[in-house]
Amino acid sequence: MSQNRFTAKIPNELEGKRAVVTGGSRGIGAAIVQNLLDAGATVVTSARSSTEHTPSAAKFVRADLSTPDGVRKFADAALDNLGGVDIVVNNAGGCRAFQSALDIENDWQYTVDINFLAAVRVNSVLVPSMRASGGGVVVHVSSIATISSYPMILHYAAAKAALETYSKGLAAELAPQGIRVVAVSLGNVMTPGADEAREKIVDYLGSDSEEWADEIPLGRLGQSQDIAEAVGFLVSPRAAWITGSTLVIDGGRSASL
C-alpha cells in the first residue's frame, strides 16, 4: 500500500524539541526518527551500526544498548550533543533466539537487557534533564506478544510485559513533574528484523508465513510509518493529557484473539 496516505502533518510541530530514539538505524526506529525530524525536532539516535536507511539528518551514535556501558556511552553522547532532552523513544529491542521456555541459559539475559533494562537505564540518565526543564515525553515500544505469546518467544514477551508495567509505574511517578510516559504495543510490522523473526517462527511451528496477514482484521501487516505516525502524535502537544497508557497498534489482531 502506498505511503502517501500519511498526509496529516503539522509543520514544525516539534520545532525546538530535542529527541532521543534508540534503535533508529532501520525499520520502525528509522521511521520514527524521520517523523520527528520532519516535525522540526533535533534527533540523536543509536544502534550497533548505521545503515542506508538511517536518516542522515539525525546524529548517529554507535552503541550496544544491551550493556550498561553501552547505554551510558550513548546517553552521555546524546546529552553532550543536545544539551538536554525533551523526548525519549525507547525503541531498541528484538529477539534473536527462538527456544523452549525452559532454556534459560541460551538467551534470557540478553533479551531482558535489550528489551527492558536498556529502557530503564536510558531513562535513568536522560529523564533527569526533563525534570530540570519542567517536562517531557517518554515512549516505550512494546509488543502484543505480551498477550499472545508463542512459547518460543516467551523470554521476549516477558521482557516486554515488564516494560509495560514499568512504563505505567514511571508515568505515575513523573506526572507531577509534567513528564508523560506512554507505551505502544505493536503487532506484526514489515521490517527487516521482524521479517527475519517471522521466518524463524514459521520454521519453528511449521506453518505458512502467508497466514500472518490473514489473522489481522484490517487485512495487512503493519508498516513502519504506521508506528511512526502514532509515536509522532503521542510525543506532540496534541497528546498532552495522555500518560500511563499503552496504545495497541496491530490492525485489530489482539481484539480478535
Side-chain angles (χ1 to χ4, degrees):
M1 186 175 293
S2 172
Q3 296 282 347
N4 63 12
R5 71 186 189 282
F6 299 102
T7 57
K9 302 289 186 184
I10 298 180
N12 302 318
E13 181 176 34
L14 299 178
E15 186 172 7
K17 297 298 182 181
R18 302 158 297 179
V20 169
V21 181
T22 67
S25 65
R26 64 176 187 169
I28 292 168
I32 292 171
V33 170
Q34 190 60 58
N35 186 286
L36 300 182
L37 289 168
D38 290 345
T42 302
V43 183
V44 174
T45 190
S46 74
R48 289 185 180 85
S49 61
S50 62
T51 75
E52 62 180 337
H53 304 291
T54 307
S56 59
K59 169 67 175 178
F60 178 81
V61 177
R62 189 186 308 274
D64 179 0
L65 299 188
S66 68
T67 69
D69 287 345
V71 170
R72 173 59 70 173
K73 172 186 174 183
F74 168 62
D76 286 348
L79 287 175
D80 288 345
N81 188 270
L82 298 172
V85 178
D86 305 296
I87 297 166
V88 173
V89 181
N90 285 295
N91 171 68
C95 183
R96 65 184 185 183
F98 298 82
Q99 60 190 49
S100 164
L102 299 176
D103 189 5
I104 194 169
E105 299 302 326
N106 189 1
D107 212 49
W108 272 85
Q109 188 61 61
Y110 168 81
T111 304
V112 171
D113 281 335
I114 193 63
N115 290 287
F116 173 46
L117 291 178
V120 175
R121 291 164 177 155
V122 165
N123 292 341
S124 72
V125 179
L126 297 184
V127 168
S129 73
M130 294 183 180
R131 283 175 164 159
S133 62
V137 188
V138 178
V139 178
H140 297 118
V141 177
S142 185
S143 168
I144 65 166
T146 59
I147 61 172
S148 59
S149 178
Y150 293 108
M152 80 291 295
I153 57 169
L154 185 58
H155 50 330
Y156 173 75
K160 289 300 191 184
L163 181 65
E164 291 186 19
T165 300
Y166 162 75
S167 187
K168 292 177 183 178
L170 188 65
E173 178 179 345
L174 297 179
Q177 296 150 57
I179 300 170
R180 298 189 294 110
V181 183
V182 292
V184 290
S185 182
L186 311 185
N188 278 304
V189 182
M190 293 185 295
T191 70
D195 291 344
E196 293 166 8
R198 274 189 292 272
E199 289 307 312
K200 291 179 180 178
I201 293 174
V202 164
D203 291 342
Y204 190 99
L205 296 174
S207 61
D208 187 341
S209 61
E210 294 182 1
E211 296 175 4
W212 291 95
D214 294 339
E215 295 174 346
I216 299 173
L218 286 181
R220 66 173 177 87
L221 299 180
Q223 299 175 25
S224 294
Q225 195 65 12
D226 291 313
I227 313 308
E229 292 292 330
V231 171
F233 164 71
L234 288 171
V235 303
S236 77
R238 291 172 287 149
W241 210 48
I242 300 175
T243 195
S245 302
T246 298
L247 174 63
V248 178
I249 313 172
D250 68 351
R253 172 59 178 146
S254 58
S256 69
L257 292 173

